[in-house]
Amino acid sequence: MAGPRSFVVVIVVGLLLRLLAASAWSLDRLGGAGCDRAGVAPTPPLRFHLRRPSEEAAESAARDRLRLQTVHRSLGQTRGTRKKRGLGLGLVPRRAMAQEKEEKEESGLAMARLESGVSLGSGEYMADVFVGTPARHFSVILDTGSDLNWLQCAPCDDCFEQHGPLYDPALSSSYQPVRCDDPLCALVSSSAPRSGNGSCAYAYSYGDRSNTSGDLALETFTVNLTAGGAETRPRQRRVEGVVFGCGRRNRGLFRGAGGLLGLGRGPLSFFSQLRPVYGGVFSYCFVPRDSDLSVSSRLVFGEDRRLLARPGFNFTAFAANKSDTFYYVDVRGVKVGGRLLDVAPEVWALRADGGGGGTILDSGSTLSYLPEQAYRAIQRAVLEQVRYPVVEGLPVLSPCFDVAGAARVELPDLVIVFADGAEWRVPHDNYFVTLGGEGEAEVVCLAMLPTPTSSSFAILGNYLQQNFLVVYDVDRSRLGIAPADCAHL
C-alpha cells in the first residue's frame, strides 16, 4: 500500500499547486498602464481527479509565494504611485454615447454570460464579450481586483494560447488607437516603451508575474440587454468608445482566455465605463467550479430589482479605504460550526495609512487567504469539530480528512461576521476542497491559506463565492450576498 499511496500524494500535490497557480492574484498590482428557473441547490464540491503528477509543482509553489509578496507591496504603494500615473487626475474615459440620461431610461440592464474556466485549465471565471464592428466573440477572465480591460491582439509578438482566435484590429472598422497626447494615455503606466506611430503604449503587471503590454485603444463593445424581469426577447446594444488594451505581448496564467475584463473601481474598468448609462451597480453569480462550459450564469450591469427581491439577502457596507481599485469589506470575526473564534479585532482591521490590512473581495483569486492568526484559529476549530481521521503528509492545504466510506460528509459551516452585524453563511462545500477519484470522495481539505507574516490583509476568492448572488452596489456603498442556484438563476 505504501507505493500507491505515495504516488497519489505526489499527484495531489501537483494538482493543488496548479490550483494555487490559477489564482491570478489580480490585485493591481504594479501596472497602470441562461434559464429563469427559481430554487437554490447546494454547491457540488470541486473534485480533483487523480491522474498524473504535475511537472511544474515546484515552479507553481514559488510563483504563488511571489504573488502574495507582490500583493503586499502593491497595497503599500496605493497612495504614492497612483497620482503619478494619472489615476488621481479625475479623468473619465470618453464615451461616444451622446444623451446619457435618455439612454439610461431605455437601456435596461447589460448582461454577459459567465462560465467556470476549470475545463480550460483556469482557476478563474470567464465572461463572454463581443468586440468590434462587426462584433466578434471573446472569452475573458472576470477580475474585480483590477481595472484594465484588454484582449490579445493580432499580430501578436508574444501571446499565450487561447480558446478561439485573437482579436484583430484590422478586421474592425470601429477600432481607434489612443494617441500619446490624449488625456486617456495618462491613465496607464508611463513605463511602457513609446510606440513609433504616436499611439499610447501601456504596460500592466499582475502579482504572479503575469503581464500584458501593447496599445491603448477605443473600441465598440456589444452587450446583451435585459429588462431585469421576465423578458425573453433578445436585444443588444452597441457601447462605443470603450477604452481597452490591445495586447501585443502577454504572458502568464491566463489559460484559455482571450484577455481580461477589469471590474475594479478605477476609471478604466469596464464597470466604471458603463456606469454613466447603467448606474453604479453590478452583480454576478458563480456556478460551481467543476461545471463545464455548457453551464453558465450571468454578469449583470445595473440594478436588477427582480434579483434583489429574492429572499436571503444580506447587505454589508464597503469599508472606507484609499484604494482606487479594490473592494474592501469590514470583517470583524469568523464562526465555525456556530462558534465565534477568538481572533483579535485588529487582525482584520484596515490600516489607516492605506498600507495594508483589511479584507478584499476578489473574483480573480481562486482560494481565500487570511491573516495568520485568523487562519490558525479556523484550523484549530476545524480539527476540534471534525470527527473524520486526519490525513497527514499532504502539503499545501491543511487539515485534510479521510472521508472514504461516509454516506454523507458532515462538516461545519463557516460564518463571516461583518462590523455592521451582517453575516455571510458559507456552506462547507465552499471552504473545503474534495480530493477523489472516479467514485466517492476520499479526502477533504480546508481550502484556505495564510497570507505571509509580513502581510495582514485577507482575500475572499471565487471558490468561497460559488452559488452566491453577489451584488456590488457602489452607489450605496454596500455589498449584497444571497445564496442561489446560479446555473438556474
Side-chain angles (χ1 to χ4, degrees):
M1 293 297 291
R5 178 64 175 173
S6 299
F7 180 68
V8 168
V9 169
V10 171
I11 296 173
V12 170
V13 173
L15 289 171
L16 285 174
L17 289 173
R18 289 190 64 186
L19 170 66
L20 295 177
S23 283
W25 280 109
S26 47
L27 302 170
D28 187 42
R29 327 210 210 209
L30 298 173
C35 301
D36 290 320
R37 287 179 288 178
V40 176
T43 305
L46 175 63
R47 185 184 305 278
F48 292 91
H49 300 292
L50 309 182
R51 292 174 182 165
R52 63 179 184 271
S54 169
E55 297 177 355
E56 300 177 352
E59 179 183 348
S60 297
R63 188 184 300 132
D64 194 61
R65 177 58 59 176
L66 177 63
R67 283 198 297 273
L68 292 165
Q69 295 169 350
T70 307
V71 170
H72 176 62
R73 288 199 304 271
S74 64
L75 288 173
Q77 294 170 354
T78 297
R79 290 190 301 167
T81 61
R82 291 285 186 167
K83 291 186 179 180
K84 294 179 182 178
R85 291 172 178 162
L87 293 182
L89 299 179
L91 299 175
V92 178
R94 74 167 61 91
R95 311 202 56 80
M97 301 187 206
Q99 302 164 345
E100 290 180 353
K101 183 176 180 181
E102 293 180 10
E103 290 177 348
K104 221 180 228 186
E105 294 172 353
E106 299 174 359
S107 60
L109 306 172
M111 180 183 66
R113 187 174 184 265
L114 285 181
E115 311 96 11
S116 169
V118 165
S119 62
L120 299 178
S122 170
E124 292 90 12
Y125 282 83
M126 305 290 185
D128 289 348
V129 296
F130 298 86
V131 183
T133 305
R136 289 177 169 84
H137 167 259
F138 301 94
S139 184
V140 295
I141 292 170
L142 182 75
D143 189 4
T144 60
S146 65
D147 296 323
L148 182 69
N149 313 297
W150 58 270
L151 295 171
Q152 294 205 111
C153 283
C156 193
D157 299 330
D158 186 5
C159 280
F160 52 85
E161 184 177 352
Q162 77 175 56
H163 184 67
L166 301 182
Y167 165 80
D168 188 346
L171 301 179
S172 173
S173 62
S174 51
Y175 175 83
Q176 180 183 349
V178 172
R179 307 291 297 177
C180 284
D181 57 358
D182 193 309
L184 289 174
C185 196
L187 294 174
V188 295
S189 174
S190 59
S191 63
R194 281 189 172 271
S195 172
N197 58 8
S199 62
C200 177
Y202 78 89
Y204 204 86
S205 299
Y206 300 84
D208 58 355
R209 284 183 174 169
S210 299
N211 58 79
T212 175
S213 62
D215 301 315
L216 198 68
L218 305 176
E219 184 54 288
T220 295
F221 281 56
T222 300
V223 296
N224 294 317
L225 297 179
T226 173
E231 176 182 323
T232 58
R233 179 172 60 90
R235 296 188 298 142
Q236 291 185 324
R237 182 187 195 88
R238 288 166 52 83
V239 183
E240 300 175 347
V242 173
V243 184
F244 84 112
C246 185
R248 309 286 187 178
R249 293 164 296 279
N250 316 293
R251 294 181 176 181
L253 300 169
F254 306 110
R255 296 183 181 93
L260 187 142
L261 194 70
L263 295 180
R265 291 176 176 267
L268 285 177
S269 79
F270 196 64
F271 161 63
S272 294
Q273 294 190 63
L274 291 188
R275 187 173 180 180
V277 175
Y278 296 103
V281 181
F282 71 91
S283 61
Y284 57 70
C285 200
F286 290 151
V287 297
R289 290 219 42 80
D290 58 350
S291 303
D292 60 32
L293 294 178
S294 68
V295 180
S296 66
S297 57
R298 298 189 300 179
L299 165 67
V300 177
F301 295 94
E303 186 175 66
D304 192 335
R305 295 178 182 176
R306 178 182 62 89
L307 293 180
L308 289 175
R310 293 173 58 90
F313 252 110
N314 272 308
F315 287 93
T316 186
F318 284 125
N321 65 87
K322 299 181 183 298
S323 170
D324 295 305
T325 297
F326 313 130
Y327 297 95
Y328 281 88
V329 287
D330 195 352
V331 173
R332 288 298 173 89
V334 170
K335 299 177 184 177
V336 174
R339 192 184 77 195
L340 184 64
L341 305 186
D342 184 15
V343 179
E346 55 267 25
V347 169
W348 306 103
L350 179 65
R351 290 206 283 268
D353 61 0
T359 301
I360 299 165
L361 207 67
D362 183 23
S363 69
S365 295
T366 302
L367 300 181
S368 293
Y369 295 79
L370 303 177
E372 183 80 18
Q373 183 180 337
Y375 170 72
R376 296 302 175 194
I378 292 175
Q379 273 191 322
R380 290 192 296 270
V382 166
L383 284 168
E384 291 172 3
Q385 296 182 35
V386 175
R387 300 307 177 195
Y388 301 109
V390 175
V391 178
E392 304 286 358
L394 294 183
V396 186
L397 299 183
S398 175
C400 297
F401 302 94
D402 184 351
V403 295
R408 178 182 177 184
V409 177
E410 296 183 357
L411 298 166
D413 286 348
L414 176 118
V415 176
I416 300 171
V417 181
F418 298 100
D420 53 14
E423 294 187 345
W424 185 353
R425 299 184 178 276
V426 181
H428 62 76
D429 286 333
N430 284 29
Y431 80 107
F432 279 91
V433 63
T434 302
L435 309 175
E438 297 300 325
E440 294 298 317
E442 295 180 354
V443 176
V444 295
C445 298
L446 180 66
M448 293 180 170
L449 287 173
T451 49
T453 304
S454 59
S455 306
S456 59
F457 59 85
I459 293 182
L460 305 180
N462 61 48
Y463 189 74
L464 194 79
Q465 301 176 46
Q466 298 173 93
N467 270 346
F468 277 93
L469 176 60
V470 183
V471 178
Y472 293 73
D473 188 345
V474 178
D475 283 345
R476 299 180 181 89
S477 191
R478 64 177 186 171
L479 177 77
I481 306 162
D485 182 0
C486 292
H488 301 136
L489 194 61

